[in-house]
Amino acid sequence: RGLVGLVQLYVLTVFNVFWTGPPPGSAGFEEHDPGMPASLRQALLALHTSTHAGAAEQHEPLTDSAAELQADLARAAASVSLERLRAPLESQEMFALPQTIVAMESLQLLAELLRSHLLPAAEASAPAAAPRVRALVEQVGPITVQIYRGVARGMLDLEPIVAAIRSRSWAPREIGTQHSPYVDQLVQHVQQLAGSLSQLGVPVAAYR
């Protein structure tokens, strides 16, 4: 239980550091970003409870030794300062995309290790822990997608283009041969972004 709890805390901490909204368990999390899948939102809330709450708040009765481990995990979770972890990212280029990629790749590697090593061991010797390990493996993919979506929203500054579209006159007129200036703005923006991503060597998974 202790090892699984530490892995859960790591996954949740990485999410919280690179997530642009309120962390799970805090005010506003459930309302922030309506595009987040409900299943992922519930999984993150469950991770928060598993790592930050005491033994009495867990969804299963715990033995005395397990309750002690849970108390230690909750203390460790409470000692994590998200502000200190996030501070170095604030000045990074492209909304800290290079650092985000490293973090998300680490989660993918962790999920693969859990799938190939910890999950079979849990199923063989600690069946009660196996569902928690399996859930972690299944959650990593949606977590990385959600984090990349947040970075993409920051990098795609479309407000000038939207403003140009709003100010465009849509009155019926004779069809011309020239397209609207906002089309050039959009093409230029996408080309610049594609060039920056190419220079960073962004993995294919991040584009999805």
Side-chain angles (χ1 to χ4, degrees), residues 113-132:
L113 291 173
L114 293 176
R115 183 185 296 108
S116 59
H117 292 82
L118 188 56
L119 181 56
E123 291 173 336
S125 59
R132 298 169 68 200

Side-chain angles (χ1 to χ4, degrees), residues 55-76:
E57 299 172 73
Q58 299 305 307
H59 300 300
E60 56 183 338
L62 302 181
T63 63
D64 290 343
S65 59
E68 289 181 15
L69 287 173
Q70 184 62 39
D72 289 341
L73 180 62
R75 281 191 291 270

Side-chain angles (χ1 to χ4, degrees), residues 31-157:
E31 294 77 27
H32 188 81
D33 190 0
M36 177 186 287
S39 57
L40 176 58
R41 196 179 300 276
Q42 292 304 313
L44 290 166
L45 288 170
L47 272 181
H48 174 79
T49 299
S50 294
T51 54
H52 288 68
E57 299 172 73
Q58 299 305 307
H59 300 300
E60 56 183 338
L62 302 181
T63 63
D64 290 343
S65 59
E68 289 181 15
L69 287 173
Q70 184 62 39
D72 289 341
L73 180 62
R75 281 191 291 270
S79 70
V80 175
S81 172
L82 294 178
E83 290 75 16
R84 291 183 62 184
L85 293 173
R86 287 171 173 165
L89 301 174
E90 294 176 357
S91 60
Q92 299 301 317
E93 61 178 351
M94 297 186 72
F95 292 83
L97 179 60
Q99 292 77 12
T100 302
I101 291 172
V102 172
M104 296 305 104
E105 290 294 298
S106 78
L107 288 185
Q108 295 285 8
L109 178 58
L110 175 62
E112 184 55 39
L113 291 173
L114 293 176
R115 183 185 296 108
S116 59
H117 292 82
L118 188 56
L119 181 56
E123 291 173 336
S125 59
R132 298 169 68 200
V133 178
R134 190 176 299 108
L136 276 172
V137 172
E138 295 172 351
Q139 290 158 7
V140 164
I143 283 175
T144 58
V145 169
Q146 189 67 34
I147 294 299
Y148 280 136
R149 282 181 65 242
V151 175
R153 280 196 299 268
M155 293 174 61
L156 291 170
D157 182 15

